[in-house]
Amino acid sequence: MADTLDRATQGEGARRKLDEIELREWLESLEYVLESAGAERTLELLERLEAHAKKLGVEIPFSANTPYINTIPANEDQSYPGDLALERRIRNLIRWNAMAMVVRANKHSDGIGGHISTYASAATLYEVGMNHFFRGPDAGLDADMIYFQGHASPGLYARSYLERRLHKEHLRNFRRELQGEPSLSSYPHAWLMPDYWTFATVSMGIGPITSIYQARFNRYLEDRGLKEPGGGKVWAFLGDGETDEPESLGAISLASREKLDNLIWVINCNLQRLDGPVRGNGKIIQELEATFRGTGWNVIKVVWGSGWDKLMQGDTQGVLLKRFENLIDGESQRYAAFGGGELRKNFFNTPELQALIEGWSDDDLAKLNRGGHDPIKVYTAYKRAVEHEGQPTVILARTIKGYGLGISGEGKNVTHQQKKLNEDELKVFRDRFEIPIEDDEIGQFPFYRPEESDEEFKYLMERRQALGGGIPARRVKAEPLAAPDESLFEEFTKGTGDRAASTTMVFVRILGKLLRDKAWGDLVVPIIPDEARTFGMEALFRQIGIYSHVGQLYEPVDSDNILYYKESTDGQILEEGITEAGAISSFIAAGTAYAAHGVNTIPFFIYYSMFGFQRIGDFLWAAGDMRTKGFLLGATAGRTTLAGEGLQHQDGHSHVLAYPIPNLLAYDPSFAFEMAFIIREGMRQMYEEQEDVFYYLTVGNENYPQPALPEHLSPDEVKEGVLRGMYLFKPSGKKRSKLKAQLFGSGSIMNEVLKAQEMLAGYGVAADVWSVTSYKALHQDALRTERRNRLHPETEPEKPFVYEALKDTKGVIVAASDYLKLLPDALSRHLPRPVVSLGTDGFGRSEAREELRDHFEVDARFITLATLHALAQEGQLEASVVSKAIEDLNIDPDKLDAHVA
Ligand SMILES: Cc1ncc(C[n+]2csc(CCOP(=O)(O)OP(=O)(O)O)c2C)c(N)n1
Ligand SMILES: [Mg+2]
């Protein structure tokens, strides 16, 4: 027996033999247990063995990895339910059309771009899904949501072309959207193709993280009884390079913690990104496996295609397994690029390995495919994934970038950028994929689709009909829902008397009212990234509960407090923790449920305004693209209103960052009634009129008495002004003064403006105070009128709203806000007279409000000074009056300039 022999006394040859016998014995024992007692017992023994070895002092290194082979062994491969040969032909035609679309676009319009190699690598991954898994919109509650890799779009278009959902005219105008004909956007954009695309995935990282929160939100809707439970899955397709985006992997623990078995990720591991290999010196699949396994996902590796199975079976010594372990991605890529000969020479590089391929030709070796190109392996993995319970699944599928492009790009570093093929290259592609196109036509890059009588067409249509119709498809299912009655908000028009309240408190009160509203109460989705207490919202914890799929498994530490931290399965709040990216993902899921599920959920996402636009701006852009509805509330807003926190927290620019998003309305309200008007109008516009817009409101934490509606205007006039961007809040009482001014105030700086109005009275200046609720709205309106007039030069010119509002007024115009001076400055040429802008340009400081407003020169003194100076500039006052004012107001003319300090 092996163990009775003393190895030390043996020679090298005998020792090796001994090793072999020993290994065989162990393996045979394992096989015996597996056969006679099953996998569970085998596992138990292995665990015991491991524990025993540890006890005896054998260090077992930690590894979250399994060997570099398929997770599912070949003997568990499923028999394929489809017609493999026919599916292959269909796939090839899609490959051709996808490629032809890009090549043709670039031929006709040099530099127009597009991607061939991404879809080329992903075709099997998509097509197995299309033929056997992805349930379309007619599947009702079982319909899937699919996040396609953005730059794989030509492949999706090409399939829709075969399905006759798209036509030649569309394909010809790929990336040419302004031809006045049917066209196709470069990437998935619901804004541009609202009946087709749902998820804006092309800014990499956004698709992955939003898919996780989407899957969780689908559960939320079910747990809260807003949607019938269904079998629909969320599938997300990612690039392996894309996983380097922090957003991609940043929330994967949420998916496992929440046991999201309705979520399936497919990572197309073609081992390359744009410039070169993702991990030339390592193995991206193994790296991802460890990450996902460590986080509690179900990981299915689809590394090797069926071609390798025979070799693996013959590998009794494990030499192939060992070789796989040593293989790094940079080397793998060479085999993809250089084929069978290279594989023979450099992969099978020992006598033992060469023995395995004895009698194999280079062509045979070239057929050793990768798992992600093998429909049976992909099908088996998908089937496992959809049946898996209790965990999200990630499929790591190994493919070749530019598959089928041959010498012109397959596996080459340049393949991502390959957009042109010459005639010879096209012929090679055609021959490889057996496309029925003649030599004399090929130079035209013709598209090809089977006739409706052809079996390819019948098959693919039958498959899609059985699975609920063509995808991608976006359908809006929700019915319009009337905004709450105006009476719900009536209290806000009356003011708070002497009681001081912040606009944040006002918001919380509005939210409370909506939560009690019959029609809307259940549809409100409050989303908070761990700041509820900062915003005074903790009462909501107890009142409506924090959503948790498992409820509350512990007795909260504050359970004897009436405002205790309550988690429950039907909780309404999404308390996301410190992840603005996660919270905005929930916002997008909740704000698009009107389309995805026909449910008018209305998200209110309240966050530290500083950590909004500048941190998650790209998500907000995508939210606009995806026609997301809802309210963003930038709280603790205002560079000088948020005292103490300093440079990193004080937001004085989110309103500028809100400008670029075309369908976002942005407001900086000062008063409770303004908030109420804006929120009700938002609900009306978004849910009653079903307009695809969303809202941003900044709310502050400064307490002051909230006024009632001004009386010099009718409530409707005030409302119109609030919504359009400005109205006269407080006219001057000094009707007879010669010196006049128009002061603009926004947010909490309004209080400074009102103080300045009084100070100016002391200088004999009659100042009217306007509340500017939205510089963005005023600016957009002005640009619209300007353009209209330019294009219709002989008609009566229209005037912008802001001009009309001010045209009969007199005096200098001075604007002050807690935001950049750019906001009023942008209006300058649309006003009857120039504006002097005061704002908070510069880095913040940790200080109290009064000092901050002095530092940024936006307090009542500086508004007064700016007004007097403007009057002096116009010759209405002596400069000496201004100097005197500087002295009287205790302003240091040599103080720091906040802009640069
Ligand atoms: C945030 C972001 N950065 C950069 C790009 C540009 N880009 C498009 S595709 C690509 C490479 C993608 O590689 P990978 O994720 O591996 O996908 P593959 O094409 O290999 O499937 C890059 C850098 C982008 N779309 N989004
Ligand atoms: Mg890649």
Side-chain angles (χ1 to χ4, degrees):
M1 287 299 290
D3 57 354
T4 60
L5 292 172
D6 179 2
R7 286 173 207 242
T9 61
Q10 305 294 315
E12 174 65 24
R15 219 168 22 233
R16 199 173 316 138
K17 199 146 182 219
L18 203 60
D19 285 353
E20 263 173 38
I21 298 170
E22 187 178 59
L23 177 67
R24 201 169 344 115
E25 276 184 7
W26 278 77
L27 294 179
E28 281 170 7
S29 308
L30 187 87
E31 284 160 15
Y32 170 77
V33 178
L34 187 65
E35 267 165 37
S36 60
E40 215 167 299
R41 174 71 186 144
T42 315
L43 203 64
E44 192 186 321
L45 283 179
L46 286 172
E47 279 167 6
R48 290 286 293 276
L49 209 57
E50 185 179 336
H52 197 62
K54 269 188 198 150
K55 204 166 124 196
L56 296 177
V58 179
E59 284 290 330
I60 299 176
F62 168 77
S63 169
N65 277 119
T66 63
Y68 194 43
I69 54 174
N70 294 345
T71 304
I72 305 175
N75 61 4
E76 291 178 29
D77 277 348
Q78 297 288 318
S79 62
Y80 200 77
D83 182 331
L84 277 168
L86 198 50
E87 285 188 21
R88 181 166 184 274
R89 287 215 297 281
I90 293 168
R91 197 164 60 238
N92 289 350
L93 293 175
I94 297 174
R95 285 179 183 287
W96 171 267
N97 289 315
M99 179 276 297
M101 193 183 322
V102 176
V103 174
R104 188 187 170 106
N106 285 278
K107 179 83 182 169
H108 290 289
S109 181
D110 197 18
I112 205 82
H115 300 85
I116 301 173
S117 63
T118 299
Y119 181 75
S121 67
T124 306
L125 301 177
Y126 285 131
E127 277 302 294
V128 171
M130 287 289 194
N131 286 319
H132 302 286
F133 291 93
F134 304 159
R135 285 166 297 185
D138 297 332
L141 291 167
D142 291 334
D144 292 327
M145 298 173 139
I146 306 178
Y147 291 67
F148 296 103
Q149 243 181 301
H151 41 290
S153 59
L156 280 309
Y157 292 144
R159 174 169 246 273
S160 297
Y161 171 62
L162 258 57
E163 290 175 9
R164 286 166 167 72
R165 297 176 61 215
L166 297 176
H167 303 282
K168 267 199 188 94
E169 296 71 25
H170 291 96
L171 271 57
R172 276 196 207 120
N173 287 316
F174 171 60
R175 289 186 169 237
R176 300 299 306 271
E177 295 184 80
L178 301 176
Q179 302 300 305
E181 291 170 9
S183 64
L184 299 172
S185 61
S186 50
Y187 302 117
H189 299 295
W191 191 259
L192 302 172
M193 295 176 65
D195 301 327
Y196 194 85
W197 295 116
T198 300
F199 304 111
T201 50
V202 80
S203 175
M204 290 189 296
I206 286 186
I209 187 171
T210 48
S211 76
I212 294 175
Y213 283 84
Q214 179 72 59
R216 206 269 307 252
F217 188 73
N218 294 354
R219 281 274 178 77
Y220 169 95
L221 289 179
E222 291 175 6
D223 286 345
R224 302 208 59 241
L226 293 170
K227 162 186 173 290
E228 293 287 317
K233 303 274 184 197
V234 175
W235 293 77
F237 286 82
L238 284 66
D240 48 358
E242 183 174 13
T243 60
D244 281 337
E245 289 287 358
E247 290 87 353
S248 297
L249 302 186
I252 58 172
S253 63
L254 174 84
S256 43
R257 193 163 63 243
E258 299 266 334
K259 304 186 171 44
L260 296 177
D261 53 16
N262 58 343
L263 179 67
I264 299 168
W265 276 15
V266 182
I267 306 187
N268 176 14
C269 297
N270 54 26
L271 315 186
Q272 287 175 246
R273 43 178 164 69
L274 192 152
D275 284 341
V278 179
R279 295 287 184 274
N281 295 318
K283 286 199 275 292
I284 186 64
I285 290 184
Q286 295 299 88
E287 185 181 320
L288 291 173
E289 175 188 43
T291 305
F292 280 94
R293 283 186 87 215
T295 313
W297 283 53
N298 174 40
V299 180
I300 303 177
K301 290 192 291 189
V302 184
V303 188
W304 311 103
S306 310
W308 291 87
D309 290 342
K310 220 169 73 195
L311 282 179
M312 305 255 260
Q313 273 155 19
D315 179 30
T316 50
Q317 299 302 307
V319 287
L320 193 55
L321 264 184
K322 218 160 144 194
R323 182 69 180 94
F324 286 158
E325 295 305 318
N326 296 334
L327 181 67
I328 53 174
D329 288 353
E331 185 191 343
S332 271
Q333 199 187 335
R334 291 182 59 84
Y335 305 133
F338 304 128
E342 178 80 7
L343 198 65
R344 174 190 305 283
K345 187 159 146 246
N346 290 319
F347 181 81
F348 295 98
N349 57 357
T350 64
E352 291 85 356
L353 285 165
Q354 277 158 14
L356 288 178
I357 52 164
E358 217 176 275
W360 288 52
S361 69
D362 281 359
D363 271 356
D364 293 337
L365 290 178
K367 287 193 186 118
L368 286 171
N369 55 349
R370 295 188 177 189
H373 293 299
D374 185 328
I376 295 173
K377 301 285 182 200
V378 173
Y379 177 83
T380 304
Y382 284 6
K383 188 155 189 304
R384 279 273 178 103
V386 295
E387 288 169 359
H388 190 78
E389 288 180 12
Q391 284 174 302
T393 293
V394 59
I395 293 166
L396 303 172
R398 193 160 171 270
T399 63
I400 292 174
K401 190 142 179 169
Y403 184 76
L405 289 182
I407 46 163
S408 42
E410 191 155 335
K412 303 277 171 64
N413 279 335
V414 295
T415 193
H416 189 87
Q417 299 298 78
Q418 181 71 281
K419 298 164 201 318
K420 294 181 183 170
L421 296 182
N422 64 31
E423 245 176 72
D424 289 338
E425 291 167 328
L426 283 177
K427 283 180 191 159
V428 172
F429 193 100
R430 175 201 62 188
D431 294 343
R432 172 156 180 184
F433 293 115
E434 299 161 4
I435 311 296
I437 289 176
E438 301 299 327
D439 275 0
D440 57 349
E441 292 171 57
I442 207 155
Q444 307 300 313
F445 326 104
F447 302 122
Y448 182 89
R449 71 178 172 194
E451 297 299 324
E452 294 191 22
S453 52
D454 289 346
E455 59 176 344
E456 288 88 350
F457 177 76
K458 288 186 189 151
Y459 182 89
L460 74 92
M461 291 307 281
E462 181 278 316
R463 290 313 309 142
R464 283 319 309 158
Q465 271 153 17
L467 288 164
I471 42 178
R474 178 179 177 276
R475 288 187 196 164
V476 176
K477 301 176 199 133
E479 295 295 324
L481 182 58
D485 196 76
E486 287 191 343
S487 60
L488 188 76
F489 299 104
E490 208 179 301
E491 70 165 85
F492 301 103
T493 61
K494 303 205 165 99
T496 54
D498 290 340
R499 197 169 52 82
S502 68
T503 44
T504 307
M505 288 157 76
V506 171
F507 165 68
V508 175
R509 186 147 180 92
I510 291 176
L511 191 67
K513 286 189 157 252
L514 289 174
L515 285 165
R516 285 190 295 275
D517 185 77
K518 257 209 184 95
W520 285 95
D522 283 342
L523 296 172
V524 168
V525 183
I527 301 169
I528 312 165
D530 200 33
E531 294 282 356
R533 291 181 203 280
T534 316
F535 309 142
M537 296 174 75
E538 61 270 39
L540 289 180
F541 293 162
R542 169 73 209 334
Q543 200 183 315
I544 54 172
I546 292 164
Y547 171 69
S548 157
H549 184 56
V550 295
Q552 193 154 35
L553 307 176
Y554 59 97
E555 186 183 342
V557 65
D558 51 0
S559 58
D560 56 351
N561 185 326
I562 49 163
L563 301 182
Y564 74 92
Y565 195 84
K566 179 182 159 199
E567 300 194 57
S568 69
T569 39
D570 64 350
Q572 194 159 355
I573 301 172
L574 289 173
E575 162 68 81
E576 300 295 14
I578 310 163
T579 164
E580 283 75 16
I584 184 66
S585 299
S586 281
F587 178 81
I588 292 172
T592 53
Y594 70 94
H597 301 292
V599 183
N600 281 314
T601 41
I602 175 167
F604 288 86
F605 170 24
I606 182 160
Y607 55 91
Y608 237 111
S609 74
M610 191 66 162
F611 305 124
F613 283 83
Q614 70 175 20
R615 179 152 193 141
I616 49 166
D618 207 11
F619 286 85
L620 291 162
W621 182 256
D625 178 356
M626 283 189 263
R627 299 169 182 262
T628 309
K629 300 182 185 185
F631 292 92
L632 303 163
L633 291 123
T636 55
R639 185 105 66 211
T640 68
T641 304
L642 176 60
E645 292 290 349
L647 182 153
Q648 186 59 71
H649 288 67
Q650 291 160 341
D651 166 34
H653 50 275
S654 64
H655 276 288
V656 174
L657 302 179
Y659 263 51
I661 303 175
N663 54 344
L664 178 73
L665 289 87
Y667 288 94
D668 185 16
S670 302
F671 303 130
F673 63 80
E674 297 178 352
M675 299 266 305
F677 283 144
I678 295 164
I679 290 180
R680 185 180 180 280
E681 170 62 11
M683 294 176 77
R684 194 194 66 77
Q685 200 182 355
M686 293 186 281
Y687 293 87
E688 195 171 317
E689 301 299 328
Q690 296 199 309
E691 288 180 35
D692 293 335
V693 296
F694 61 137
Y695 276 65
Y696 176 52
L697 275 75
T698 37
V699 288
N701 62 0
E702 182 172 0
N703 294 320
Y704 45 89
Q706 296 291 334
L709 282 183
E711 281 170 8
H712 66 280
L713 297 172
S714 74
D716 278 348
E717 284 170 328
V718 179
K719 185 167 125 187
E720 188 194 353
V722 168
L723 299 177
R724 296 186 70 175
M726 75 185 295
Y727 64 97
L728 183 61
F729 174 69
K730 192 168 177 198
S732 165
K734 290 176 67 75
K735 297 279 177 248
R736 271 179 283 156
S737 291
K738 265 202 8 242
L739 299 172
K740 296 207 184 292
Q742 307 301 318
L743 307 182
F744 295 178
S746 306
S748 50
I749 295 301
M750 178 55 117
N751 296 308
E752 300 296 331
V753 176
L754 289 166
K755 268 188 255 165
Q757 183 182 39
E758 286 170 23
M759 285 179 165
L760 283 163
Y763 289 90
V765 180
D768 296 329
V769 172
W770 298 76
S771 173
V772 176
T773 50
S774 177
Y775 279 105
K776 183 175 180 186
L778 295 175
H779 188 234
Q780 281 195 333
D781 168 75
L783 293 183
R784 185 192 57 75
T785 19
E786 189 177 59
R787 171 178 182 275
R788 184 234 161 249
N789 295 342
R790 184 160 55 235
L791 294 171
H792 303 88
E794 293 190 45
T795 61
E796 181 70 22
E798 276 181 23
K799 291 287 180 201
F801 178 74
V802 66
Y803 183 93
E804 289 289 345
L806 292 163
K807 70 170 194 273
D808 297 329
T809 65
K810 293 202 173 71
V812 295
I813 302 175
V814 176
S817 82
D818 228 356
Y819 288 85
L820 300 188
K821 300 179 183 89
L822 204 63
L823 295 174
D825 283 346
L827 281 181
S828 210
R829 74 171 186 276
H830 308 288
L831 299 173
R833 302 177 295 283
V835 63
V836 176
S837 303
L838 301 179
T840 56
D841 303 51
F843 281 128
R845 287 285 194 284
S846 30
E847 249 304 348
R849 264 179 212 131
E850 194 181 325
E851 284 76 7
L852 285 169
R853 288 176 183 168
D854 171 62
H855 177 71
F856 284 102
E857 304 171 10
V858 290
D859 64 14
R861 295 143 63 230
F862 280 95
I863 298 166
T864 303
L865 168 61
T867 309
L868 296 176
H869 181 248
L871 287 164
Q873 295 264 290
E874 290 199 347
Q876 300 191 48
L877 277 180
E878 293 297 329
S880 59
V881 179
V882 187
S883 298
K884 177 79 174 42
I886 290 178
E887 231 178 279
D888 293 348
L889 296 168
N890 200 18
I891 289 171
D892 170 9
D894 299 319
K895 72 191 278 289
L896 279 178
D897 178 354
H899 196 165
V900 292

